Amino acid sequence: MSEIEVKKTQESLQDRLAQVVELLQRQRVVEDLTHRQEGPHHDRVENLVHRQNLVELQRKLDDLHSADVAYILEALPLDDRLTLWQLVKADSVRETLIADMDDHELLAAAKDMDADELADLASELPRDVVHELMESLDNQQRERVRSALSYDEDQVGALMDFEMVTIREDVSLEVVLRYLRRLKELPGHTDKLFVVDYDGVLKGVLPIKRLLVNDPEKQVAEVMASDPVSFHPDEDAYDAAQAFERYDLISAPVVDKNGKLIGRLTIDEMVDLIREESESEVLNMAGLREEEDIFASVWKSLRNRWAWLAVNLITAFVASRVIGLFEGSIEKLVALAALMPIVAGIGGNSGNQTITMIVRAMALDQVSTGNTSRLMRKELAVGLINGLVWGGVIGVVAYMLYGSWSLGVVMTAAMTLNLLLAALMGVLIPMTLAKMGRDPAMGASVMITAMTDSGGFFIFLGLATIFLL
């Protein structure tokens, strides 16, 4: 899909969302008006208006892909979300709606899902619903669900798909083509067929493009790729996602320790994983513990946000105490109060830049024990040069404003030292968190701001007290 087509699709989806919101608002207004009016046919009129609006909403939803319906549901407040959910065909369950659904509705929504989707959803469903679902599956599906549930959510096994096409290596391409024609449809994202022996051991893969362009009389063994990129079910899923990006994969086999084919990974799961990791990283840097529904309850939002706000309050108090140590200096030279936020602010910005680069490098496995010292020297050099250049600029500005060259020199020195501190902390904070087994992005932005604020105030006011007063 071209960039223009993607843009048109997104614009159309935004238009549909606006139309749904307008219909919901119209329904509330009309129902409110009819409710106020008294008459012998009041209930009948109100019911008619309600049904007309629901029919129009139903028509809008029926034209949408299930992924677009999920997008619209997520963009609505809870009350509107539940109203709309009653009109949605049970083919895409959203986490925020499960609690409002009856058991039979949950079963209807989940019965047509694949094994990997059921495994992903199982932890959010009531236990009796999961049990009934498992009982409704055939032996093969039940075993697949149990297999997927046996892995952690960050392992390849939890994300693998069981729908795939397997062939033998000792048949001709013509036989393979006839076999494919007998299938009703191919599994999604089928760009290759998996070649296995009679024991199910993976021997190679046959890309669809090779199947189409080669002589039909050739054997599969002559055309297949015998060294495909494959994964084990206990591997880290994010490492697999990086491999998909690195090798431009659309699908890849998953094999057990004996080389037996047990599933496959597809690009759609990897894209979802990368997006979720990116969102999690952004939230963690802001000090949020988990993804938050924008229309979640006030209490849930408070619980998600207040931990790092409490930490931030403590660090802000520490910074204020640092300023309090130099109250006498600020009283004697009021210019210090006007200039000290500049030192702290630039330091915080520089530290956040460093942390962003380091966290990204760690996510891509570009940081190791062998290059840590070199990376530290590089960031300190960047901080030193930036401090001298931009500290010199603000030093000249301070001289022009207050007519004191010594104040300008102190400003330059404080800026340089604080940027060096920001570079040092920008490297150490995420690396320390990683060594402690924590997410290196967790609260990193909050911590670096606290360090550069307190450090910047102390450095600037300390130098001013020593050299100016």
Side-chain angles (χ1 to χ4, degrees), residues 95 98 117-127 130 149 153:
E95 178 184 354
I98 288 177
E117 295 172 331
L118 286 174
D120 185 50
L121 189 65
S123 61
E124 300 167 9
L125 295 175
R127 182 171 298 180
V130 174
L149 286 172
E153 62 179 10

Side-chain angles (χ1 to χ4, degrees), residues 90 93 97-113 117-119 121-137 142 145 149:
V93 179
L97 299 168
I98 288 177
D100 187 66
M101 297 173 66
D102 297 330
D103 288 357
H104 71 277
E105 292 177 315
L106 290 171
L107 288 168
K111 67 179 181 180
D112 295 325
M113 290 185 173
E117 295 172 331
L118 286 174
L121 189 65
S123 61
E124 300 167 9
L125 295 175
R127 182 171 298 180
D128 56 336
V129 173
V130 174
H131 178 73
E132 192 167 346
L133 269 176
M134 294 292 285
E135 291 296 323
S136 67
L137 301 176
R142 190 181 303 120
V145 174
L149 286 172

